[in-house]
Amino acid sequence: MTESTEHPLSGLWKPTHLQRLYYGPSSVQKHLLECLPSDSSKAFIITGSSLATKTPLIKQVEDLLSQKHHAGTFTKIRQHAPIAQLDEATEIVQEDSNIDTIISIGGGSPIDSAKAISHRLHEKSGKYLYHITIPTTLSAAECSFMAGYTKEDGVKTGVSNPELAVHVIIYDAKFAMETPRSLWLSTGIRSLDHAIELLYNPTSTEVPAKQLVLTAISTLFEYLPKSKAEPNNQDYITRLLLAAFSSLYPFGTNVKGGLGLSHSLGYALGSPYSIPHGITSCLTLAKVVRLKAEDPETAAQIARVLPFIGQARSGDDRQDATKVGDAIEALVKELGLPTTAREYNVGEDQVPKITKLATGQEEGQLYDKVSKLVQSVL
């Protein structure tokens, strides 16, 4: 049952339990300690090895927390959050009953890992951890209450519970400046993927969801090329972090099902073939938008994007939605990002497997259309 309709215009939006969002350069230095749930809180840091060994960021946070609040740091989180690392980190956290807070620093994998660790801890002890996150990419994992991770067989899975939503987000441009440019830009396309698919998700609300994602789309189209040209411009970085927030936070807690086909394809292509999710969005989003333009109701929503990216609507929703797909592909190319998976060496014999994973089907009209789309990606 939907909780949002176009005719009549009606809906229900339920927010997560997010308590604070700070943004701007040096926000971590200024606000991290006041975000802890109590003066006696013990916080455990979850991050990846690159941030821990190639940047000063993790040491800065550890020093800020000091012995009073720092309970430990786990730096082994890898792309797509393999379950073995989750098991290891959960065991460490479990051993210290004083830990009440988890601080994730990085992109989608550390953030999702922190949520998954909190979920596992709750299963064992009945308590969730207070989650503070410092995102360094535009993946927007901080905006959902879903925690994706990779099983031993390489297939992405996850858990979903509103209790896993983060409590505090700190967008600090000084932290995001350390992110490699290709990762930064490709996760920007991931945010665009969130925004486009939330726009046409049949259960997303007009306010705040659709209104916010339209502004996010406008910002991403304007500032991703600017950020590529001036990668150390902190104002551009902050604007893009806020666009990432606007692309997914209005999902709320009551949108039904997954976001859409591009995300489903991303999961099917991502962890099984070691393709980062930012790149999967570069490969699939434009093509999915063109496919979705064939459906009148979906095309009507996608066509709303044109004025937000500097183009006029023609009144033909299918034509306008197709133009949006073309504009997305042009943006990906302008950013120097891939539009095919050739460099990842995914064989054409994988098309049936990928299509089945993405659609849940083995035959039929949708299967045939998606199969052709996947072939064009490879």
Side-chain angles (χ1 to χ4, degrees):
M1 177 181 176
T2 182
E3 295 191 63
S4 172
T5 62
E6 288 295 313
H7 306 289
L9 189 60
S10 65
L12 168 67
W13 181 71
K14 294 180 181 178
T16 70
H17 59 209
L18 178 70
Q19 297 176 3
R20 305 186 194 189
L21 185 157
Y22 290 103
Y23 60 92
S26 301
S27 290
V28 171
Q29 183 71 34
K30 294 174 184 175
H31 302 296
L32 178 62
L33 292 183
E34 68 188 76
C35 294
L36 295 171
S38 78
D39 187 57
S40 60
S41 287
K42 288 288 188 179
F44 191 84
I45 298 171
I46 298 291
T47 190
S49 62
S50 292
L51 281 177
T53 61
K54 297 178 182 178
T55 78
L57 302 180
I58 306 307
K59 179 70 163 50
Q60 288 174 17
V61 174
E62 291 173 340
D63 290 346
L64 194 59
L65 291 171
S66 74
Q67 285 188 339
K68 180 178 179 181
H69 297 296
H70 182 223
T73 301
F74 187 85
T75 64
K76 299 180 184 178
I77 300 301
R78 297 183 1 239
Q79 181 177 281
H80 297 303
I83 195 169
Q85 279 69 55
L86 291 186
D87 290 340
E88 186 178 350
T90 302
E91 287 179 13
I92 296 171
V93 173
Q94 229 184 313
E95 290 173 358
D96 188 347
S97 61
N98 293 315
I99 296 174
D100 63 353
T101 301
I102 196 161
I103 300 176
S104 57
I105 307 173
S109 294
I111 296 170
D112 274 5
S113 294
K115 287 182 274 187
I117 290 165
S118 183
H119 169 77
R120 287 163 163 238
L121 194 68
H122 177 262
E123 285 187 323
K124 297 174 186 293
S125 68
K127 74 169 185 176
Y128 290 102
L129 295 171
Y130 192 84
H131 189 174
I132 299 170
T133 185
I134 305 169
T136 62
T137 75
L138 299 170
S139 67
E142 67 275 9
C143 297
S144 86
F145 53 85
M146 290 165 280
Y149 58 91
T150 304
K151 297 186 294 183
E152 293 91 341
D153 61 3
V155 174
K156 196 75 174 275
T157 186
V159 292
S160 177
N161 189 317
E163 291 295 330
L164 299 180
V166 304
H167 296 84
V168 178
I169 299 171
I170 305 178
Y171 288 130
D172 191 327
K174 291 183 181 297
F175 276 61
M177 280 175 63
E178 300 286 351
T179 303
R181 288 304 93 188
S182 61
L183 177 60
W184 176 253
L185 297 173
S186 63
T187 55
I189 301 299
R190 185 65 172 173
S191 279
L192 184 60
D193 201 343
H194 299 328
I196 294 287
E197 297 220 294
L198 188 53
L199 179 64
Y200 68 67
N201 185 294
T203 67
S204 66
T205 56
E206 182 63 30
V207 171
K210 294 179 182 182
Q211 295 293 329
L212 272 179
V213 302
L214 285 167
T215 62
I217 291 165
S218 177
T219 300
L220 291 164
F221 264 86
E222 180 178 357
Y223 283 96
L224 282 172
K226 289 182 177 181
S227 186
K228 182 189 178 187
E230 297 181 52
N232 293 325
N233 187 308
Q234 294 183 22
D235 182 63
Y236 296 169
I237 291 170
T238 301
R239 289 182 183 278
L240 287 167
L241 287 166
L242 294 177
F245 176 82
S246 297
S247 77
L248 192 58
Y249 180 73
F251 187 91
T253 63
N254 61 310
V255 168
K256 302 295 187 294
L259 271 177
L261 178 59
S262 184
H263 280 69
S264 298
L265 283 165
Y267 296 131
L269 284 163
S271 54
Y273 304 99
S274 299
I275 304 176
H277 278 313
I279 298 299
T280 64
S281 293
C282 295
L283 306 181
T284 64
L285 180 58
K287 295 176 174 64
V288 167
V289 166
R290 293 191 193 104
L291 178 60
K292 290 290 185 179
E294 298 175 7
D295 174 67
E297 289 187 9
T298 305
Q301 293 300 320
I302 297 172
R304 297 173 65 177
V305 169
L306 279 184
F308 289 84
I309 58 174
Q311 298 188 39
R313 294 181 67 170
S314 69
D316 182 328
D317 289 339
R318 180 169 182 170
Q319 178 181 313
D320 291 350
T322 301
K323 285 183 180 178
V324 172
D326 295 342
I328 292 168
E329 185 170 302
L331 176 62
V332 172
K333 290 179 178 178
E334 181 183 357
L335 297 177
L337 298 168
T339 56
T340 72
R342 290 191 186 96
E343 66 183 90
Y344 294 95
N345 299 314
V346 183
E348 288 206 10
D349 61 322
Q350 297 299 299
V351 170
K353 177 183 176 182
I354 295 167
T355 306
K356 181 182 177 181
L357 277 172
T359 65
Q361 301 177 13
E362 296 187 48
E363 59 182 0
Q365 187 177 23
L366 175 62
Y367 179 93
D368 292 341
K369 289 181 177 180
V370 175
S371 179
K372 289 181 181 177
L373 189 156
V374 173
Q375 288 176 38
S376 71
V377 165
L378 302 184

